[in-house]
Amino acid sequence: MKVILLTDVKKQGKKDDIIEVSDGYATNFLIKNKLAVPYTKTSKNRLDTELDKKAADEEALIAKCLEMKKKMEKEDFSFTFKSGADGRLFGTVSSKQLSEELKKRGYDVDKKMVDMNTKIDTLGVYNVKINLHKKVSATIKVHIC
């Protein structure tokens, strides 16, 4: 029996996959537990419209992220932290601190999006990568003074 999975099922497939399973497994487990629906023309059409909508939403999100990337890369970000006489900071700058500063400037950036490839512990200019989407990342210049 052909079914369309509504959720990820271990060792069977991912959500929205069309798989072939035995009749008993489909009716007694997958359909009964609302993990799948039987494959019919109407369910296939519904799946196609959902996938088209998801693709359109994903493209809109990528376009929004690209616009944010252009805006972020044009700006120079200056942050002021306390430092010692030799230019070393008291501690290091964390991704949480950077994301909070970016939020204050109007960018919706979570600390998990900030990819710190080097440890920021002295005064200077650093390039920091911001992962806005899995397909879009921005590199910003951060001035620590």
Side-chain angles (χ1 to χ4, degrees):
M1 171 182 238
K2 271 188 166 179
V3 294
I4 300 173
L5 295 177
L6 299 175
T7 60
D8 293 352
V9 179
K10 194 173 187 175
K11 296 184 181 177
Q12 293 299 323
K14 301 271 186 200
K15 183 180 187 296
D16 299 330
D17 283 352
I18 299 170
I19 60 170
E20 182 79 35
V21 292
S22 67
D23 292 348
Y25 182 66
T27 56
N28 295 328
F29 180 71
L30 294 176
I31 296 171
K32 181 180 175 185
N33 292 324
K34 295 183 174 46
L35 300 174
V37 292
Y39 179 84
T40 60
K41 286 183 181 179
T42 56
S43 63
K44 174 65 174 154
N45 291 338
R46 186 175 295 147
L47 174 67
D48 290 340
T49 56
E50 270 185 41
L51 292 177
D52 290 342
K53 184 177 183 255
K54 282 183 188 179
D57 291 345
E58 186 75 14
E59 297 222 3
L61 180 63
I62 289 172
K64 180 182 172 187
C65 289
L66 285 171
E67 182 180 315
M68 185 187 291
K69 174 186 174 180
K70 287 179 186 176
K71 188 176 174 186
M72 286 177 86
E73 288 181 343
K74 286 181 184 176
E75 284 190 50
D76 284 335
F77 297 95
S78 296
F79 301 110
T80 305
F81 291 98
K82 291 185 178 181
S83 63
D86 61 345
R88 293 184 57 83
L89 299 178
F90 297 125
T92 60
V93 178
S94 67
S95 59
K96 182 178 180 183
Q97 289 172 318
L98 285 177
S99 69
E100 287 173 357
E101 288 292 329
L102 289 169
K103 282 182 185 177
K104 287 179 186 176
R105 295 177 188 220
Y107 296 104
D108 187 26
V109 175
D110 190 44
K111 71 178 185 176
K112 295 175 186 171
M113 299 168 120
V114 178
D115 187 13
M116 309 256 305
N117 54 0
T118 59
K119 189 165 80 169
I120 300 176
D121 59 354
T122 58
L123 299 177
V125 179
Y126 297 91
N127 289 329
V128 178
K129 185 177 177 184
I130 309 291
N131 297 318
L132 300 172
H133 187 271
K134 32 184 175 175
K135 295 181 180 178
V136 180
S137 62
T139 303
I140 62 171
K141 287 195 181 286
V142 177
H143 298 278
I144 304 295
C145 42

